[in-house]
């Protein structure tokens, strides 16, 4: 997969994307990260990318033309590229006004051959940009960042680690938090006791079916306690639904 990023701070990439799982994915050729400096697409010799807001008010707004020209250049690079089909290049615009980015979306994006991420700064991006370049606005959560770069990195890491071969053990991806729509169960390693806190006995029992059931129950219990908003959307099997009913009756 190839991911193109457009930013006024190209020097912050790859940053954390250069190490660990994402660093290896790039070294193995599973992921290619191409970073573009938005200022290279400005139309004046001062390389201006922002301007005053129509209607007045605080802060500056990012101009539309540099983004449009950058996406056009990336589209041309796509047509010339060897990375596969380039029709309908998917473009995301990182913005706190966007639709919330989820694991389901990360899974869908990981199937694409190409992806383009546009990073905004200042008070925002001219509202015509999304429409002009066919971009979808995405947010990584209900808080405001100073710019889209960290959000773009979050999206790239969430997508990149799902590329086949990126994570050594595929089971760690299929069994982890959110793959079922539930939070993950608790994990423990040695020692069996530290400062009076013991690892749950069942995990030391060697009874694999008891361990499997305990983990399932803990995943449901934690999700109910910490993220009740996730329960209704989770795809639960019959065993998990039974555990959920039981846990709800206990709490009531
Ligand atoms: Cl994508 N951008 C900015 N600037 N702030 C955010 C965000 C994105 N997602 C959450 N907060």
């Amino acid at each position: 997969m190839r991911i193109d990023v457009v930013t006024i701070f190209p020097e912050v990439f790859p940053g954390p994307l250069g190490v660990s799982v994402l660093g290896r994915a790039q070294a193995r050729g599973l992921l290619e990260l191409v970073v573009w400096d938005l200022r290279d697409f400005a139309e004046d010799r001062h390389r201006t990318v922002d301007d005053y807001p129509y209607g007045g008010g605080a802060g500056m707004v990012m101009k539309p033309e540099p983004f449009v020209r950058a996406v056009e250049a990336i589209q041309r690079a796509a047509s010339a590229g060897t990375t596969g089909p380039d029709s309908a290049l998917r473009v995301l615009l990182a913005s706190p006004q966007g639709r919330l980015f989820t694991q389901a979306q990360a899974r869908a994006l990981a199937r694409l051959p190409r992806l383009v991420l546009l990073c905004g700064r200042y008070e925002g991006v001219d509202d015509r940009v999304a429409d002009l370049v066919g971009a979808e606005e995405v947010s990584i959560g209900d808080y405001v960042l100073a710019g889209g770069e960290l959000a773009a990195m979050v999206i790239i890491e969430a997508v990149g680690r799902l590329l086949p071969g990126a994570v050594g053990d595929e089971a760690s991806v299929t069994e982890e938090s959110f793959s079922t729509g539930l939070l993950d169960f608790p994990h423990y390693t040695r020692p069996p006791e530290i400062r009076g806190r013991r690892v749950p006995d069942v995990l030391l029992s060697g009874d694999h079916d008891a361990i499997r059931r305990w983990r399932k129950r803990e995943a449901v219990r934690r999700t109910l306690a910490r993220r009740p908003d996730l329960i209704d959307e989770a795809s639960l099997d019959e065993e998990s639904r039974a555990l959920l009913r039981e846990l709800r009756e206990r709490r009531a």
Side-chain angles (χ1 to χ4, degrees), residues 55-71:
M60 301 294 275
V61 176
M62 295 186 87
K63 294 164 62 61
E65 300 96 324
F67 280 112
V68 171
R69 286 158 45 112
V71 172

PDB file of all heavy atoms in Angstrom, residues 55-71:
ATOM      1  N   GLY A  55     -15.744  36.919   6.477  1.00  0.00           N
ATOM      2  CA  GLY A  55     -16.668  37.062   7.595  1.00  0.00           C
ATOM      3  C   GLY A  55     -15.985  37.497   8.870  1.00  0.00           C
ATOM      4  O   GLY A  55     -16.643  37.765   9.878  1.00  0.00           O
ATOM      5  N   GLY A  56     -14.647  37.541   8.829  1.00  0.00           N
ATOM      6  CA  GLY A  56     -13.892  38.013   9.985  1.00  0.00           C
ATOM      7  C   GLY A  56     -13.736  36.961  11.054  1.00  0.00           C
ATOM      8  O   GLY A  56     -14.137  35.819  10.889  1.00  0.00           O
ATOM      9  N   GLY A  57     -13.132  37.356  12.177  1.00  0.00           N
ATOM     10  CA  GLY A  57     -12.916  36.428  13.283  1.00  0.00           C
ATOM     11  C   GLY A  57     -11.452  36.092  13.459  1.00  0.00           C
ATOM     12  O   GLY A  57     -10.600  36.533  12.683  1.00  0.00           O
ATOM     13  N   ALA A  58     -11.199  35.318  14.499  1.00  0.00           N
ATOM     14  CA  ALA A  58      -9.827  35.012  14.900  1.00  0.00           C
ATOM     15  C   ALA A  58      -9.201  33.972  13.976  1.00  0.00           C
ATOM     16  O   ALA A  58      -9.891  33.133  13.420  1.00  0.00           O
ATOM     17  CB  ALA A  58      -9.816  34.505  16.336  1.00  0.00           C
ATOM     18  N   GLY A  59      -7.876  34.037  13.853  1.00  0.00           N
ATOM     19  CA  GLY A  59      -7.118  32.988  13.179  1.00  0.00           C
ATOM     20  C   GLY A  59      -7.154  33.066  11.662  1.00  0.00           C
ATOM     21  O   GLY A  59      -7.834  33.911  11.080  1.00  0.00           O
ATOM     22  N   MET A  60      -6.390  32.165  11.084  1.00  0.00           N
ATOM     23  CA  MET A  60      -6.239  32.118   9.639  1.00  0.00           C
ATOM     24  C   MET A  60      -6.872  30.836   9.106  1.00  0.00           C
ATOM     25  O   MET A  60      -7.075  29.878   9.845  1.00  0.00           O
ATOM     26  CB  MET A  60      -4.749  32.139   9.278  1.00  0.00           C
ATOM     27  CG  MET A  60      -4.007  33.353   9.768  1.00  0.00           C
ATOM     28  SD  MET A  60      -4.560  34.866   8.962  1.00  0.00           S
ATOM     29  CE  MET A  60      -3.550  34.799   7.468  1.00  0.00           C
ATOM     30  N   VAL A  61      -7.162  30.852   7.807  1.00  0.00           N
ATOM     31  CA  VAL A  61      -7.772  29.690   7.152  1.00  0.00           C
ATOM     32  C   VAL A  61      -6.824  29.217   6.052  1.00  0.00           C
ATOM     33  O   VAL A  61      -6.222  30.041   5.348  1.00  0.00           O
ATOM     34  CB  VAL A  61      -9.141  30.078   6.549  1.00  0.00           C
ATOM     35  CG1 VAL A  61      -9.752  28.901   5.780  1.00  0.00           C
ATOM     36  CG2 VAL A  61     -10.096  30.556   7.645  1.00  0.00           C
ATOM     37  N   MET A  62      -6.705  27.923   5.892  1.00  0.00           N
ATOM     38  CA  MET A  62      -5.827  27.405   4.843  1.00  0.00           C
ATOM     39  C   MET A  62      -6.498  27.551   3.481  1.00  0.00           C
ATOM     40  O   MET A  62      -7.651  27.182   3.302  1.00  0.00           O
ATOM     41  CB  MET A  62      -5.447  25.956   5.131  1.00  0.00           C
ATOM     42  CG  MET A  62      -4.602  25.874   6.397  1.00  0.00           C
ATOM     43  SD  MET A  62      -3.970  24.234   6.712  1.00  0.00           S
ATOM     44  CE  MET A  62      -2.456  24.300   5.763  1.00  0.00           C
ATOM     45  N   LYS A  63      -5.739  28.081   2.540  1.00  0.00           N
ATOM     46  CA  LYS A  63      -6.230  28.367   1.187  1.00  0.00           C
ATOM     47  C   LYS A  63      -6.534  27.071   0.434  1.00  0.00           C
ATOM     48  O   LYS A  63      -5.862  26.065   0.634  1.00  0.00           O
ATOM     49  CB  LYS A  63      -5.162  29.143   0.411  1.00  0.00           C
ATOM     50  CG  LYS A  63      -4.886  30.534   0.942  1.00  0.00           C
ATOM     51  CD  LYS A  63      -3.576  31.108   0.398  1.00  0.00           C
ATOM     52  CE  LYS A  63      -3.578  31.279  -1.117  1.00  0.00           C
ATOM     53  NZ  LYS A  63      -4.626  32.210  -1.604  1.00  0.00           N
ATOM     54  N   PRO A  64      -7.504  27.120  -0.478  1.00  0.00           N
ATOM     55  CA  PRO A  64      -7.851  25.897  -1.214  1.00  0.00           C
ATOM     56  C   PRO A  64      -6.847  25.488  -2.303  1.00  0.00           C
ATOM     57  O   PRO A  64      -6.587  24.291  -2.484  1.00  0.00           O
ATOM     58  CB  PRO A  64      -9.218  26.214  -1.825  1.00  0.00           C
ATOM     59  CG  PRO A  64      -9.322  27.702  -1.860  1.00  0.00           C
ATOM     60  CD  PRO A  64      -8.478  28.218  -0.715  1.00  0.00           C
ATOM     61  N   GLU A  65      -6.290  26.467  -3.055  1.00  0.00           N
ATOM     62  CA  GLU A  65      -5.509  26.089  -4.253  1.00  0.00           C
ATOM     63  C   GLU A  65      -4.347  25.143  -3.972  1.00  0.00           C
ATOM     64  O   GLU A  65      -4.153  24.174  -4.727  1.00  0.00           O
ATOM     65  CB  GLU A  65      -4.975  27.326  -4.996  1.00  0.00           C
ATOM     66  CG  GLU A  65      -6.034  28.288  -5.494  1.00  0.00           C
ATOM     67  CD  GLU A  65      -6.254  29.433  -4.517  1.00  0.00           C
ATOM     68  OE1 GLU A  65      -6.180  29.189  -3.288  1.00  0.00           O
ATOM     69  OE2 GLU A  65      -6.509  30.558  -4.981  1.00  0.00           O
ATOM     70  N   PRO A  66      -3.525  25.388  -2.923  1.00  0.00           N
ATOM     71  CA  PRO A  66      -2.395  24.469  -2.710  1.00  0.00           C
ATOM     72  C   PRO A  66      -2.840  23.016  -2.510  1.00  0.00           C
ATOM     73  O   PRO A  66      -2.217  22.088  -3.050  1.00  0.00           O
ATOM     74  CB  PRO A  66      -1.710  25.027  -1.460  1.00  0.00           C
ATOM     75  CG  PRO A  66      -2.071  26.493  -1.464  1.00  0.00           C
ATOM     76  CD  PRO A  66      -3.479  26.529  -1.984  1.00  0.00           C
ATOM     77  N   PHE A  67      -3.935  22.804  -1.773  1.00  0.00           N
ATOM     78  CA  PHE A  67      -4.427  21.435  -1.571  1.00  0.00           C
ATOM     79  C   PHE A  67      -4.889  20.817  -2.896  1.00  0.00           C
ATOM     80  O   PHE A  67      -4.596  19.650  -3.184  1.00  0.00           O
ATOM     81  CB  PHE A  67      -5.579  21.418  -0.556  1.00  0.00           C
ATOM     82  CG  PHE A  67      -5.126  21.473   0.882  1.00  0.00           C
ATOM     83  CD1 PHE A  67      -5.382  22.587   1.661  1.00  0.00           C
ATOM     84  CD2 PHE A  67      -4.451  20.402   1.450  1.00  0.00           C
ATOM     85  CE1 PHE A  67      -4.964  22.641   2.991  1.00  0.00           C
ATOM     86  CE2 PHE A  67      -4.039  20.431   2.781  1.00  0.00           C
ATOM     87  CZ  PHE A  67      -4.295  21.566   3.548  1.00  0.00           C
ATOM     88  N   VAL A  68      -5.607  21.606  -3.691  1.00  0.00           N
ATOM     89  CA  VAL A  68      -6.107  21.089  -4.972  1.00  0.00           C
ATOM     90  C   VAL A  68      -4.933  20.716  -5.873  1.00  0.00           C
ATOM     91  O   VAL A  68      -4.905  19.636  -6.482  1.00  0.00           O
ATOM     92  CB  VAL A  68      -7.016  22.139  -5.656  1.00  0.00           C
ATOM     93  CG1 VAL A  68      -7.364  21.705  -7.081  1.00  0.00           C
ATOM     94  CG2 VAL A  68      -8.285  22.353  -4.831  1.00  0.00           C
ATOM     95  N   ARG A  69      -3.941  21.602  -5.936  1.00  0.00           N
ATOM     96  CA  ARG A  69      -2.775  21.328  -6.787  1.00  0.00           C
ATOM     97  C   ARG A  69      -1.982  20.127  -6.277  1.00  0.00           C
ATOM     98  O   ARG A  69      -1.450  19.331  -7.062  1.00  0.00           O
ATOM     99  CB  ARG A  69      -1.902  22.583  -6.876  1.00  0.00           C
ATOM    100  CG  ARG A  69      -2.536  23.663  -7.767  1.00  0.00           C
ATOM    101  CD  ARG A  69      -2.004  25.056  -7.474  1.00  0.00           C
ATOM    102  NE  ARG A  69      -0.552  25.109  -7.326  1.00  0.00           N
ATOM    103  CZ  ARG A  69       0.288  25.707  -8.157  1.00  0.00           C
ATOM    104  NH1 ARG A  69      -0.179  26.323  -9.228  1.00  0.00           N
ATOM    105  NH2 ARG A  69       1.568  25.720  -7.927  1.00  0.00           N
ATOM    106  N   ALA A  70      -1.880  19.993  -4.941  1.00  0.00           N
ATOM    107  CA  ALA A  70      -1.147  18.850  -4.367  1.00  0.00           C
ATOM    108  C   ALA A  70      -1.835  17.537  -4.724  1.00  0.00           C
ATOM    109  O   ALA A  70      -1.184  16.576  -5.171  1.00  0.00           O
ATOM    110  CB  ALA A  70      -1.050  18.996  -2.846  1.00  0.00           C
ATOM    111  N   VAL A  71      -3.163  17.485  -4.571  1.00  0.00           N
ATOM    112  CA  VAL A  71      -3.883  16.241  -4.885  1.00  0.00           C
ATOM    113  C   VAL A  71      -3.772  15.928  -6.374  1.00  0.00           C
ATOM    114  O   VAL A  71      -3.609  14.762  -6.769  1.00  0.00           O
ATOM    115  CB  VAL A  71      -5.362  16.308  -4.427  1.00  0.00           C
ATOM    116  CG1 VAL A  71      -6.150  15.097  -4.928  1.00  0.00           C
ATOM    117  CG2 VAL A  71      -5.440  16.401  -2.905  1.00  0.00           C
TER     118      VAL A  71
END
